[in-house]
Amino acid sequence: MTESNLADAATGARGGAASAPASRIRLMVSDVDGTLVNKAKEVTPVTVEAVRRLHAAGIAFAAVSARPPRGMKLMVEALNVDLFGGFNGGSILRRDFSIVEEHFVSPDAVRAGIAMMKPRGASIWVFADNEWFITDPGNPYVAGETRTVAFQPTVVDDFGDHLNRAGKIVFSSTDFDMLAQSEPELQALVGAGATARRSQAKYLDMTPPGTDKGHAVRAFARHYGVSLDEVAVIGDMPNDLPMFEVGGLAIAMGNGAPEVKERAHFVTLTNEENGVADAIDRFVLPRAPRG
């Protein structure tokens, strides 16, 4: 079956952009949750082997996530990545966790966001100073997030001075509609002080201003000396769309949100079906540099 036929069967052409998919790829950038890892938050052996095939073909690999950098340690080790980004691109780090770039949410934006979202019933999580601070350990999502980031939150009565050095603020709620409705309002409120986007239906994140996953892709491309039209990107949620706007080849996960699939050149399998490995073999490796 030709790639075109595969695209029609699994996937479909990119609906939200006029550009054709890149013909040559030298770097692949992946989202993590819902993409690179399965529901158990594992990088499967199938994915590890696929990334090794990428490297053997001369294609670099990097990852960016809404997670705090500390919560990406297992992924970094499993895939031996040289460069990765946390907080939706607010922090860029090397494999040894030394910092390339680090940005913070404006303290004024932090306080304004909390003042808006707390009365709406959102739980507030503050990621700062390499820790995760919460005031409500009974929140239904704390246990799952602990498994995801692989470290325990610190329970506090007050966030105090940590609000001045926040890499990410998360507003979590079981009221998904409220979070969706709040997203544009929150962005309008905080303006240039933060980027406000949902990373999952249950999470509305504030991350450093001017930094998103598109910013991370640009940073990775500079590091590897690769032009943006030679970058393949893959993700599943709306906060991955800034990657789609800058990469030369955009791939959506089979479990991705409808708006993400609409903006992709191709759609791969789900994260429970090793969708990243499938995308590597079907869409990226055929575009490996030759000679």
Side-chain angles (χ1 to χ4, degrees):
M1 185 179 285
T2 66
E3 182 183 88
S4 176
N5 290 335
L6 283 169
D8 290 340
T11 68
R14 190 176 196 172
S19 64
S23 59
R24 184 172 187 261
I25 296 298
R26 296 173 57 204
L27 167 65
M28 183 175 183
V29 180
S30 178
D31 168 51
V32 177
D33 294 293
T35 303
L36 193 57
V37 300
N38 59 20
K39 290 181 180 177
K41 304 301 181 182
E42 301 165 333
V43 180
T44 68
V46 172
T47 300
V48 171
E49 288 303 317
V51 171
R52 286 178 181 165
R53 290 195 292 276
L54 270 188
H55 289 149
I59 300 174
F61 183 84
V64 59
S65 175
R67 293 187 189 189
R70 182 178 170 185
M72 299 176 71
K73 184 175 186 293
L74 296 178
M75 180 279 300
V76 169
E77 292 174 347
L79 296 173
N80 201 27
V81 297
D82 290 322
L83 209 64
F84 67 99
F87 298 141
N88 285 337
S91 295
I92 307 294
L93 300 92
R94 303 178 186 89
R95 183 190 311 174
D96 63 0
F97 281 74
S98 58
I99 294 171
V100 177
E101 294 182 24
E102 185 176 38
H103 306 272
F104 301 115
V105 182
S106 158
D108 288 341
V110 170
R111 291 174 171 84
I114 291 173
M116 171 183 158
M117 296 302 297
K118 189 173 181 179
R120 300 186 182 195
S123 292
I124 299 151
W125 300 347
V126 175
F127 290 87
D129 301 323
N130 208 32
E131 298 289 345
W132 167 25
F133 299 99
I134 65 173
T135 57
D136 53 345
N139 176 281
Y141 300 129
V142 167
E145 188 70 9
T146 300
R147 288 192 296 272
T148 296
V149 301
F151 67 92
Q152 293 286 336
T154 299
V155 180
V156 296
D157 294 325
D158 184 89
F159 295 118
D161 189 55
H162 299 297
L163 296 181
N164 295 324
R165 296 176 300 279
K168 182 173 73 166
I169 305 294
V170 176
F171 302 110
S172 69
S173 176
T174 56
D175 188 344
F176 300 166
D177 290 341
M178 181 275 289
L179 292 179
Q181 292 164 7
S182 296
E183 182 177 0
E185 295 178 46
L186 180 61
Q187 185 62 76
L189 175 68
V190 299
T195 298
R197 283 197 176 92
R198 284 171 296 146
S199 58
Q200 299 184 46
K202 59 191 177 185
Y203 296 153
L204 174 54
D205 300 342
M206 285 203 314
T207 50
T211 63
D212 54 23
K213 292 186 180 181
H215 171 85
V217 170
R218 292 186 183 94
F220 299 152
R222 286 195 302 269
H223 173 82
Y224 288 108
V226 171
S227 63
L228 289 173
D229 61 6
E230 296 177 311
V231 181
V233 299
I234 184 167
D236 70 311
M237 286 294 291
N239 68 337
D240 297 319
L241 289 176
M243 296 197 297
F244 286 29
E245 294 169 3
V246 299
L249 176 65
I251 305 167
M253 295 296 293
N255 52 285
E259 58 265 47
V260 177
K261 292 179 179 179
E262 289 171 2
R263 295 290 300 277
H265 290 111
F266 302 109
V267 180
T268 185
L269 302 177
T270 71
N271 63 326
E272 288 294 284
E273 301 170 305
N274 296 302
V276 169
D278 177 72
I280 287 171
D281 289 335
R282 286 205 284 154
F283 307 129
V284 181
L285 284 176
R287 293 172 165 81
R290 308 295 179 188

